[in-house]
Amino acid sequence: MSGFHHQRNRSMAGDAPGDVSDESQGCGLVVRLRKFKPKEVFTWQLAKTLAMGQGLAGLICGTAISSQYLATSFHVNTPMLQSLFNYALLCVTYTPMLFCRTGDGHVLQILKRRWWKYLLLGLVDVEANYTVVKAYQYTTLTSVQLLDSFVIPVLMILSWWILKTRYGLVHYIAVCICLLGVGAMVGADLLAGRDQGSTSNILLGDGLVLLSASLYAVSNVCQEYTVKNLSRVEFLGMVGLFGTIISTAQMVILERNEVANLQWSWQVGLLFSAYGLCMYTLYSCMPIVVKMSSATAVNLSLLSADLFSLFCGIFLFQYNFSGLYLVSLVAILIGFITFNAVPTPRDLTEPTASSPSSICNEGYSDHPAAIRKDFPKGEVAVRITAEEEAHQGLGEMEDGLEEEQKQSGNTRASGRSQALGRGSSKQDGFAIRHSTKM
């Protein structure tokens, strides 16, 4: 009877596997909620990443304000000349550092092996800065703010494809929250009547914004790969070198008349200097934040740059204030914190490529999988085989000593000393041959 009930219970359990899985998932969720510790999520590392990300957004705000003053007060429209100051500073600062290095890190070795890659990267970066400035001549500010957030999904796709990053549901929710914050900011601009800009060719302008966002995404993914696998100095030195060459050539071709007719004054020089220093500091610090988190996380943080520009515009350009600006800022910050609070699956499986906290600057990793990853499979196999042979040799030598003791005891009892000498010489020869092989 008990066997019948046991068989019946087994059949009933087999008929409803979904119920068991649902219960296990529910229990797992409850366990996770109970084990949730805010101190493990809201860490000092997260606070530092958030503060540095907002600092980068403040630098972008500085570039926007200086550009607006140049355009409105002094009628200066030379985006390539402005970018040239930034790339020249990068080239003067970081490229000489590469000349001081030896071996594969020397600038000549880098150019010999990867010059065409950095040439393409410099071209992508220069054109990304140029196309977004040109877009303002054809479309509205609202379109630029909305479509510029297109960099986030492009970044996630490129990170998934190139960097092998795997995002979870929480990361997609965090991105949606940030994009809702951008929507609130655009809605506040429409309600305040700040839909500024030209409408001469909206389709062309919107296409330029999307192109700029895609180019920024490519540049940022390349930046993340370079700073996490090579070095920050190499990235900035090469971008500064090729960016200076490309921006100079493009300025001569496209802006030679505007530069020739430029009315120089101390105010114009000060605004150019402010723009160049803000961009130089942004380019110098952004790889640090990217190495701490990721390119996607940094760009989520940069979504608040437009809000900082609006807050400054309230005092500088008499913009109208809206409560939606605060709602937008809170939404962007919540989305950014949520995105960084949960590590990506790639951070857990491949810490050497995406988790800078697990790797010291000297290249040491405290993760055993990362240590094994640094060695070729053949080398690991040889080392393991050598260790096994060593242990086997020690065991055989111990067995030989035991046999020798037994034989010596028997020899003393029977008087067969000559046979013992032959046996011990064989054991010694085996041990010597084995140790020589090792």
Side-chain angles (χ1 to χ4, degrees), residues 70 74 85 263-276:
L70 285 172
F74 299 97
F85 280 95
Q263 300 280 332
W264 287 99
S265 64
W266 70 269
Q267 294 96 334
V268 174
L270 183 62
L271 291 173
F272 268 103
S273 301
Y275 179 90

Side-chain angles (χ1 to χ4, degrees), residues 19-37:
D19 297 337
V20 177
S21 61
D22 293 340
E23 292 178 0
S24 61
Q25 290 178 359
C27 294
L29 180 60
V30 173
V31 171
R32 290 179 183 177
L33 292 176
R34 289 179 179 177
K35 291 183 178 180
F36 175 75
K37 296 180 180 180

Side-chain angles (χ1 to χ4, degrees), residues 257-314:
N257 294 329
E258 289 80 358
V259 174
N261 297 327
L262 188 61
Q263 300 280 332
W264 287 99
S265 64
W266 70 269
Q267 294 96 334
V268 174
L270 183 62
L271 291 173
F272 268 103
S273 301
Y275 179 90
L277 289 176
C278 287
M279 287 293 291
Y280 170 76
T281 308
L282 173 67
Y283 271 68
S284 298
C285 297
M286 188 171 178
I288 301 175
V289 189
V290 168
K291 191 172 184 178
M292 292 171 56
S293 55
S294 65
T296 305
V298 172
N299 278 271
L300 288 176
S301 179
L302 295 181
L303 292 177
S304 60
D306 290 333
L307 283 171
F308 292 159
S309 300
L310 292 174
F311 292 150
C312 294
I314 293 174

Side-chain angles (χ1 to χ4, degrees), residues 9 37 49 98 103 107 122 129 141 176 179 198 281 305 312 375 387 418:
N9 292 333
K37 296 180 180 180
T49 305
L98 298 177
V107 62
N129 292 324
L141 176 65
C176 292
L179 295 180
S198 174
T281 308
C312 294
F375 296 99
E387 292 177 359
Q418 186 176 1

Side-chain angles (χ1 to χ4, degrees), residues 220-291:
N220 289 338
V221 168
C222 295
Q223 181 184 84
E224 181 177 355
Y225 178 84
T226 305
V227 299
K228 289 185 178 180
N229 293 276
L230 297 174
S231 72
R232 166 178 167 268
V233 175
E234 178 176 336
F235 172 80
L236 294 175
M238 291 294 100
V239 169
L241 176 62
F242 288 103
T244 301
I245 297 174
I246 296 172
S247 59
T248 301
Q250 192 164 336
M251 181 191 67
V252 172
I253 296 173
L254 300 178
E255 296 180 359
R256 59 181 181 274
N257 294 329
E258 289 80 358
V259 174
N261 297 327
L262 188 61
Q263 300 280 332
W264 287 99
S265 64
W266 70 269
Q267 294 96 334
V268 174
L270 183 62
L271 291 173
F272 268 103
S273 301
Y275 179 90
L277 289 176
C278 287
M279 287 293 291
Y280 170 76
T281 308
L282 173 67
Y283 271 68
S284 298
C285 297
M286 188 171 178
I288 301 175
V289 189
V290 168
K291 191 172 184 178

